[in-house]
Amino acid sequence: MKIGDPRRIHSFFYRTQFWLLLIFLWIITLSAGFVGFQQSGLEGDSADLWYSTVKLVSGGYPSGSLEETPLLNLSRFLSYFLMFATILVAIQTFFYEGTRRWWCVYRGGHTIICGMGSVGQRYIRSYLDAGDRLFIVIEANPQHHAIRPLQEEGALILTGDATDHRILERAGVRRAENLIAVTGSDTQNALIASICDTMREGNPEGFICNVHIVNPLLCNLLQARWYRKRLHQGGSTEDSGTSAVKLEAFNIFQLAGMLILEDYP
């Protein structure tokens, strides 16, 4: 997504509008308290008035008899409201991603995309463009340039090694509907599929593991291993009910070549 993309600009203002509104209201509250203390006849210089104002908005009140003015009452009321609102916005800001990921995992039936290379980003883009937010992305590089823009559009991104059981657990692989392994490494993609097969063992719900394998030999070996395992379990290669995991190996380069040959035989 380009820097000038309207979606990114809108997302930026959406994320910052609450903080800008709170800052504006805090300025009004402090100014009302300062002027209110001036009107009430509080003795002292400007520093004393500002100190009393900060004390007021933090729940205190200067000792002694002071005339309660409308501005002081307004400042006191706004301070209680703003403290509560600031806490809520802070919680939403710092725990929003974690809460969304927890809800996605708890709900289940989501998609896990491993890898944010060119292929992975195409999958992410297709989900975002379709308005589907029920997916979690796993990316090994925390400094990846596309993380921030995609997060601003609503993508849930978890940084870590997709071959790590703990990372897959956090992504909710036991409750997911399918996984797409497109890390850019055939070996790593095959390893992710093997780990998912182990973690979903005994799970009665079906799970589809889509694995991008460029090497045709490795692709054949991986599929043969899957078929042998299912036959050993007493099933058949056509029956998906005997195993929790269904393997779908694909090669985008091969698929692209087939499409070209179809268009230009």
Side-chain angles (χ1 to χ4, degrees):
M1 184 173 60
K2 298 180 180 179
I3 296 177
D5 195 317
R7 290 172 297 184
R8 185 169 185 177
I9 297 174
H10 176 269
S11 177
F12 172 77
F13 284 107
Y14 180 80
R15 289 184 298 109
T16 58
Q17 63 182 348
F18 294 109
W19 284 112
L20 294 175
L21 177 61
L22 284 175
I23 292 172
F24 176 72
L25 291 176
W26 273 117
I27 293 174
I28 293 178
T29 302
L30 292 171
S31 301
F34 182 83
V35 176
F37 278 122
Q38 281 183 325
Q39 295 175 349
S40 68
L42 180 66
E43 296 180 356
D45 55 13
S46 297
D48 294 328
L49 292 177
W50 281 119
Y51 174 77
S52 298
T53 302
V54 173
K55 188 175 181 181
L56 173 67
V57 299
S58 62
Y61 198 81
S63 59
S65 58
L66 291 175
E67 179 185 353
E68 289 196 6
T69 64
L71 285 177
L72 277 179
N73 292 330
L74 175 63
S75 179
R76 184 186 301 173
F77 169 76
L78 284 177
S79 65
Y80 293 139
F81 168 77
L82 289 176
M83 280 192 289
F84 179 72
T86 302
I87 292 173
L88 288 181
V89 174
I91 292 175
Q92 190 269 349
T93 300
F94 294 108
F95 299 102
Y96 178 65
E97 290 295 324
T99 303
R100 283 187 60 211
R101 186 173 64 248
W102 174 84
W103 175 249
C104 185
V105 172
Y106 175 80
R107 182 178 177 180
H110 58 288
T111 298
I112 301 174
I113 302 175
C114 301
M116 283 179 52
S118 59
V119 180
Q121 290 188 50
R122 288 182 180 275
Y123 275 103
I124 297 171
R125 173 57 52 204
S126 65
Y127 276 92
L128 291 175
D129 290 345
D132 187 352
R133 296 295 187 271
L134 200 59
F135 69 95
I136 296 177
V137 182
I138 301 177
E139 169 56 35
N141 180 15
Q143 306 299 325
H144 196 290
H145 68 279
I147 289 181
R148 183 66 179 272
L150 291 174
Q151 284 179 329
E152 291 176 349
E153 291 191 65
L156 286 171
I157 301 177
L158 181 64
T159 56
D161 186 357
T163 61
D164 189 335
H165 291 74
R166 294 168 296 182
I167 297 297
L168 289 172
E169 194 71 51
R170 289 178 59 190
V173 70
R174 299 184 191 276
R175 300 178 63 88
E177 184 175 278
N178 59 77
L179 179 141
I180 304 173
V182 284
T183 64
S185 168
D186 286 358
T187 304
Q188 194 168 26
N189 291 339
L191 181 58
I192 292 171
S194 179
I195 294 173
C196 289
D197 187 34
T198 302
M199 295 182 70
R200 290 294 295 248
E201 198 167 297
N203 192 331
E205 299 180 3
F207 177 73
I208 302 176
C209 190
N210 301 276
V211 188
H212 183 225
I213 303 292
V214 177
N215 189 328
L217 179 59
L218 179 59
C219 182
N220 294 335
L221 290 174
L222 185 62
Q223 290 178 324
R225 175 187 176 277
W226 232 262
Y227 292 152
R228 284 198 303 269
K229 181 176 180 180
R230 296 182 64 184
L231 290 173
H232 179 72
Q233 292 173 340
S236 68
T237 58
E238 301 297 330
D239 179 20
S240 61
T242 60
S243 175
V245 176
K246 179 180 179 181
L247 176 69
E248 294 287 349
F250 67 97
N251 182 345
I252 61 168
F253 304 109
Q254 185 180 36
L255 293 174
M258 293 173 63
L259 292 175
I260 292 174
L261 289 176
E262 288 182 1
D263 294 336
Y264 304 97

